Amino acid sequence: ILTNNHVVDGATRITVTFYDGTTVDATLVGTDPDSDLAVVKVNVPPAQLHPISIADSNQLKVGQLSIAIGNPFGLQSTMTVGFISGLGRVLPNISANAVGPSFSIPDIIQTDASINPGNSGGALLDDSGKLIGVTYMIDTSSGSSSGVGFAIPSSIVQQVIPALIKTGHNDHPWL
């Protein structure tokens, strides 16, 4: 299961709650603080898992519908709808270790679908229900809703997640 690194960073216990209310313990498979992505594993029957298809975030256009699924303010299984309001944003990583080189996440998706505290690590979907990004943060002066939402694009997800599953980490090239 894919989420944000900042959601699981420092956790001593990780639990996953499914849409039907089932809660299970999870183990951390791998993290990438630089892209703020992480993978956790749950021990459930395969029939209980329903992976979603991944769309190519490089094909997105401003004005396309975006759907954010998450747990804002602890309100489970919340869906908000908006539009892609910007593409190609570059944001500093909110969870990266301040020691050493600083990594900024490229090609961030900007959306006006409500992203609030608790949405982190949730899915940003297109109008056909395919993953276009992982909700990341809201830039706001009020602390919620009144601001701009951002998501890590599926193009980065598809690069990082296989490495996290295989080795538990992802090495980013840099100069």
Side-chain angles (χ1 to χ4, degrees), residues 53-70:
S53 298
I54 299 177
D56 182 0
S57 60
N58 293 318
Q59 302 302 313
L60 292 175
K61 304 284 186 232
V62 171
Q64 281 183 249
L65 190 71
S66 59
I67 303 161
I69 307 286

Side-chain angles (χ1 to χ4, degrees), residues 90-169:
V90 177
L91 294 176
N93 186 331
I94 60 174
S95 72
N97 186 347
V99 178
S102 175
F103 184 79
S104 292
I105 304 173
D107 299 322
I108 292 286
I109 300 166
Q110 178 183 315
T111 181
D112 67 357
S114 289
I115 308 246
N116 287 300
N119 272 103
S120 292
L124 186 68
L125 308 171
D126 65 13
D127 61 356
S128 64
K130 292 182 179 176
L131 183 80
I132 56 174
V134 175
T135 55
Y136 175 53
M137 68 175 283
I138 182 172
D139 188 3
T140 176
S141 58
S142 70
S144 63
S145 199
S146 167
V148 180
F150 297 102
I152 300 164
S154 64
S155 59
I156 291 178
V157 169
Q158 290 182 300
Q159 291 174 0
V160 172
I161 297 309
L164 296 184
I165 292 170
K166 184 176 181 180
T167 66
H169 69 279

